Amino acid sequence: MGQALGCLQVDQSTVGIKETFGQYNDILEPGCHCVPWCFGSRIAGHLTLRVQQLDVRCETKTKDNVFVTVVASVQYRALAEKAADAYYKLSNTREQIQAYVFDVIRASVPKLYLDSVFEQKNDVAKAVEDELEKAMSHYGYEIVQTLIVDIEPDVHVKRAMNEINAAARMRMAATEKAEAEKILQIKRAEGEAESKYLSGVGIARQRQAIVDGLRDSVLNFAGNVPGTSAKDVMDMVLVTQYFDTLREIGASSKSSAVFIPHGPGAVRDVASQIRDGLLQGKSGTLE
């Protein structure tokens, strides 16, 4: 009924293109409009003012001869004040934008190596946006934003890149592990050296204490008991140590020590042999 009376509706975020006898007449804003068909007026079409998105997949080659597929996402919209240009000057807006995207990407990416394409994808997106903005503004369109949303190298190239990265990380891990083992061995060697040094100091002090104790014991015994010599005292000390050793051996069930010859008199023989050896050595030195 409304169309019969010449009343037409234009939806929100949309403009209508009004023609009179086939000639452009006016832009109709959203709302209800009177378009008397009997006077040759009609709505030639509608143009949306909403932001639209076009995803473009472009295959190209990098400077190091690696084929990649670059996916660019272009967000654009028609300008209300230039709606007539947007409606009449372009027959297929999406193909026009796609052609410009192909042209810019295939001119920019071949100048870059594969790694640089990933690093400078924002620069490629900026170049596409600038070229589209300059070209599409003459046709009543505004480029809102251009994004490089994906860069897809060949499957074999991706696998090789992953293997290179994995090998580099494994080499780094091996280096760090070797360095840690080196530090551990150095610290262990330093600890063993320090332990042996302290053990040697302890043994030296122990022996020094034993010698000092024996000397004091011999001197005290010889001074307190008249008629005894240092030799008698040393023989008594050796016999005492002999019995102490036997007691310690008997206290251990797993001892395998054997004394030959066995008997208290053997201590005097051992002492005599040591003393005779020392005297022979001194006499040989004097001769």
Side-chain angles (χ1 to χ4, degrees):
M1 185 65 179
Q3 293 181 356
L5 297 176
C7 294
L8 297 176
Q9 173 184 314
V10 178
D11 296 333
Q12 184 65 33
S13 299
T14 306
V15 294
I17 308 299
K18 180 181 177 182
E19 292 181 350
T20 302
F21 295 110
Q23 183 180 6
Y24 166 72
N25 182 270
D26 195 11
I27 299 295
L28 302 181
E29 300 291 336
C32 184
H33 299 273
C34 181
V35 183
W37 55 269
C38 56
F39 295 107
S41 298
R42 72 184 186 94
I43 299 294
H46 295 82
L47 184 67
T48 180
L49 301 180
R50 296 174 181 173
V51 176
Q52 303 178 69
Q53 178 168 310
L54 173 63
D55 293 330
V56 181
R57 298 178 62 88
C58 178
E59 185 178 15
T60 184
K61 184 179 73 169
T62 62
K63 190 174 182 179
D64 45 352
N65 296 321
V66 177
F67 281 90
V68 295
T69 300
V70 181
V71 181
S73 180
V74 181
Q75 299 173 355
Y76 65 98
R77 67 178 179 181
L79 299 174
E81 61 273 15
K82 295 184 177 180
D85 293 338
Y87 185 79
Y88 288 105
K89 287 187 176 181
L90 287 179
S91 60
N92 193 321
T93 306
R94 300 175 71 86
E95 288 187 1
Q96 186 79 8
I97 293 176
Q98 181 173 314
Y100 279 108
V101 172
F102 280 172
D103 180 67
V104 176
I105 290 179
R106 287 174 177 169
S108 301
V109 173
K111 299 177 182 178
L112 304 173
Y113 291 99
L114 180 60
D115 293 338
S116 300
V117 174
F118 286 94
E119 296 171 358
Q120 302 180 26
K121 70 182 187 67
N122 291 334
D123 296 338
V124 177
K126 181 63 177 174
V128 174
E129 182 176 345
D130 292 343
E131 185 66 23
L132 284 175
E133 184 69 32
K134 181 172 61 176
M136 299 304 293
S137 61
H138 299 295
Y139 301 109
Y141 282 92
E142 175 190 10
I143 304 301
V144 178
Q145 194 170 16
T146 302
L147 303 172
I148 301 298
V149 297
D150 197 9
I151 300 173
E152 301 176 358
D154 183 75
V155 176
H156 299 289
V157 176
K158 291 170 65 176
R159 185 181 300 113
M161 292 174 65
N162 291 333
E163 290 177 355
I164 292 172
N165 190 22
R169 292 184 180 276
M170 290 178 64
R171 184 169 60 252
M172 186 182 301
T175 302
E176 294 295 332
K177 182 178 179 181
E179 189 67 24
E181 291 179 353
K182 174 184 175 182
I183 295 174
L184 185 62
Q185 292 179 0
I186 291 174
K187 293 299 181 182
R188 186 183 296 114
E190 291 177 353
E192 291 179 356
E194 184 68 18
S195 175
K196 290 179 180 179
Y197 171 76
L198 295 177
S199 177
V201 171
I203 292 173
R205 291 178 179 177
Q206 179 186 13
R207 292 177 177 175
Q208 183 65 37
I210 292 173
V211 172
D212 293 340
L214 289 174
R215 183 184 66 248
D216 295 339
S217 298
V218 170
L219 293 176
N220 290 333
F221 190 89
N224 294 329
V225 180
T228 59
S229 63
K231 174 182 176 300
D232 298 333
V233 176
M234 288 301 301
D235 290 341
M236 186 184 67
V237 170
L238 288 175
V239 171
T240 303
Q241 290 183 348
Y242 173 79
F243 285 112
D244 291 340
T245 302
L246 290 179
R247 184 177 66 253
E248 292 179 0
I249 292 174
S252 176
S253 61
K254 297 182 180 180
S255 178
S256 60
V258 177
F259 287 88
I260 299 176
H262 178 68
V267 177
R268 182 179 298 273
D269 296 337
V270 173
S272 299
Q273 292 175 11
I274 294 174
R275 184 168 53 253
D276 294 341
L278 291 174
L279 292 175
Q280 290 176 6
K282 290 182 178 178
S283 62
T285 303
L286 295 174
E287 291 177 358

